Amino acid sequence: MIRFECDYGEGAHPLILERLAATNMEQTAGYGEDPHCEAARGYIRELCRMPDADVHFLVGGTQANLAVIAAALRPHQGVIAAESGHINVHETGAVEATGHKVITVAGEEGKVTADEIRVVYESHWKDPTHEHLAQPAMVYISNPSEIGTVYTLEELEEIAKVCRKCGLPLFMDGARLGYGLACELCDYTLADIAALCDVFYIGGTKVGALFGEAVVITSDTLKRDFHYIMKQRGGMLAKGRLLGIQFETLFEDGLYFRISEHAVRLAMKLRTACAAKGYSFLVDSRTNQQFPILPNGLIEKLGERYSFALWQPTDAAHTAVRFCTSWATKEEHLDELIAAL
């Protein structure tokens, strides 16, 4: 079985495994206070052009989302997100289990719009019974979105402008951020993201690491107690250097960006092949997630050899599926899939 159902099916990039093995018997301080974590923070701050940014390493995306949102919100407050947002549909209600409501908007192709944020905020405060409702106090966006779409710089600037006017911290979930930055439609850098967001994270789990997300905080308000929240939410890893070593390896010479480009190049190759066969797409994704609409008979035949996600039926005879490429996808495996299509 050749697997295309996700972008974390393999372990880690070989250079990370080599570095972990080489440093295995080092003795360091715990909880992220080691030289490897500090070096990784330095590389990330330099790329973000934010020497004063706080950088924290957590194990996974749900954990990062919980910790960031808990740090930003008071008990009566909620977070605005797209209906398809990860915190709304794929985290088992983790945010709401902590007492913080996810306030959803429809979004456009998986992306929250500035107008939607403005409407939610203004509608809340114009409601004479607003104290009976969860107060919108933060904005959550995923980039890329759950369906592989990416924000443009103009869209991010419009969202940031509304957030600042309304006093709402802007939080970007970057679980697949590397693949977004490698997208041909992307017209910004990590430095632009850092300038526009109060907090965001750089995903490692889906982009070459064994596990790990690097949370970057630019807001002084959010910086203050984040370590407390990390600890309380189970996010402070005793052997923190295991995270630091991985991000040190990914960012010391641009490995993160090179392996992201590999995944996107292969995804575009698959996209071109599907289009050449006349297949349409559920959404115009230019990242590592592709959503062709295929005949159900073909899907059944492909399932004998390939693993992929059934996304949603489009009519009685066709279903949109998701193929994911990753940093580790072998081109010969992709070529086999294309031949089968």
Side-chain angles (χ1 to χ4, degrees):
M1 183 69 69
I2 298 175
R3 313 193 76 89
F4 290 97
E5 80 270 28
C6 70
D7 37 22
Y8 44 90
E10 293 84 6
H13 193 281
L15 290 177
I16 288 177
L17 294 180
E18 290 175 12
R19 188 71 63 85
L20 287 169
T23 58
N24 186 53
M25 295 306 293
E26 283 186 14
Q27 290 184 319
T28 64
Y31 303 105
E33 297 178 3
D34 60 276
H36 299 288
C37 285
E38 196 53 41
R41 291 187 186 102
Y43 293 131
I44 291 170
R45 287 175 179 138
E46 184 177 358
L47 286 166
C48 292
R49 298 179 192 166
M50 285 277 181
D52 296 327
D54 278 4
V55 182
H56 304 277
F57 302 107
L58 289 91
V59 171
T62 299
Q63 187 183 71
N65 289 335
L66 273 176
V68 169
I69 291 170
L73 299 184
R74 296 181 66 192
H76 59 285
Q77 294 176 329
V79 55
I80 299 170
E83 289 175 354
S84 60
H86 204 270
I87 59 171
N88 188 49
V89 298
H90 285 143
E91 294 188 347
T92 325
V95 170
E96 293 183 333
T98 67
H100 297 298
K101 183 173 179 58
V102 179
I103 303 167
T104 60
V105 296
E108 294 180 3
E109 292 195 324
K111 299 184 291 182
V112 175
T113 70
D115 285 341
E116 287 176 323
I117 296 167
R118 185 183 297 109
V119 168
V120 169
Y121 181 82
E122 291 179 353
S123 296
H124 176 84
W125 290 109
K126 287 178 181 177
D127 189 325
T129 65
H130 60 76
E131 69 272 16
H132 297 278
L133 308 171
Q135 183 189 108
M138 186 179 203
V139 173
Y140 166 96
I141 60 176
S142 297
N143 197 31
S145 73
E146 289 300 291
I147 50 176
T149 53
V150 295
Y151 289 85
T152 64
L153 180 59
E154 182 179 6
E155 288 170 335
L156 290 176
E157 288 174 339
E158 290 174 353
I159 288 171
K161 183 178 179 180
V162 169
C163 285
R164 286 168 183 168
K165 182 178 179 180
C166 298
L168 302 172
L170 176 57
F171 170 34
M172 179 186 289
D173 175 333
R176 293 186 170 97
L177 187 54
Y179 303 132
L181 292 171
C183 168
E184 63 184 357
L185 301 179
C186 182
D187 56 353
Y188 45 87
T189 65
L190 275 177
D192 295 313
I193 292 171
L196 294 169
C197 294
D198 295 279
V199 54
F200 67 98
Y201 69 87
I202 303 168
T205 301
K206 296 176 180 177
V207 194
L210 274 174
F211 53 84
E213 324 296 318
V215 175
V216 182
I217 305 176
T218 63
S219 163
D220 289 339
T221 302
L222 293 177
K223 289 177 185 178
R224 178 180 163 186
D225 292 331
F226 193 76
H227 257 137
Y228 290 91
I229 302 296
M230 276 181 65
K231 182 66 176 182
Q232 188 183 66
R233 302 292 174 182
M236 193 176 288
L237 187 65
K239 296 183 180 179
R241 75 149 186 252
L242 299 180
L243 291 163
I245 288 166
Q246 294 184 75
F247 281 94
E248 182 182 26
T249 305
L250 286 170
F251 284 101
E252 64 187 355
D253 68 350
L255 177 65
Y256 187 79
F257 303 104
R258 293 196 301 277
I259 62 178
S260 296
E261 289 166 1
H262 166 81
V264 172
R265 180 181 67 82
L266 294 189
M268 292 304 96
K269 184 175 182 178
L270 175 61
R271 178 184 177 82
T272 299
C274 288
K277 290 295 294 181
Y279 299 127
S280 59
F281 296 84
L282 181 67
V283 65
D284 185 20
S285 168
R286 302 304 176 94
T287 59
N288 73 311
Q289 300 180 85
Q290 293 298 309
F291 299 85
I293 298 171
L294 303 179
N296 291 340
L298 174 59
I299 291 171
E300 184 176 354
K301 184 68 175 175
L302 290 173
E304 297 172 4
R305 171 67 172 160
Y306 305 96
S307 178
F308 49 91
L310 301 178
W311 203 255
Q312 69 180 61
T314 56
D315 60 37
H318 297 82
T319 300
V321 302
R322 184 184 74 168
F323 293 110
C324 270
T325 57
S326 80
W327 61 274
T329 300
K330 295 179 180 178
E331 190 151 12
E332 57 265 33
H333 286 171
L334 185 80
D335 289 341
E336 285 187 38
L337 173 63
I338 290 171
L341 285 165

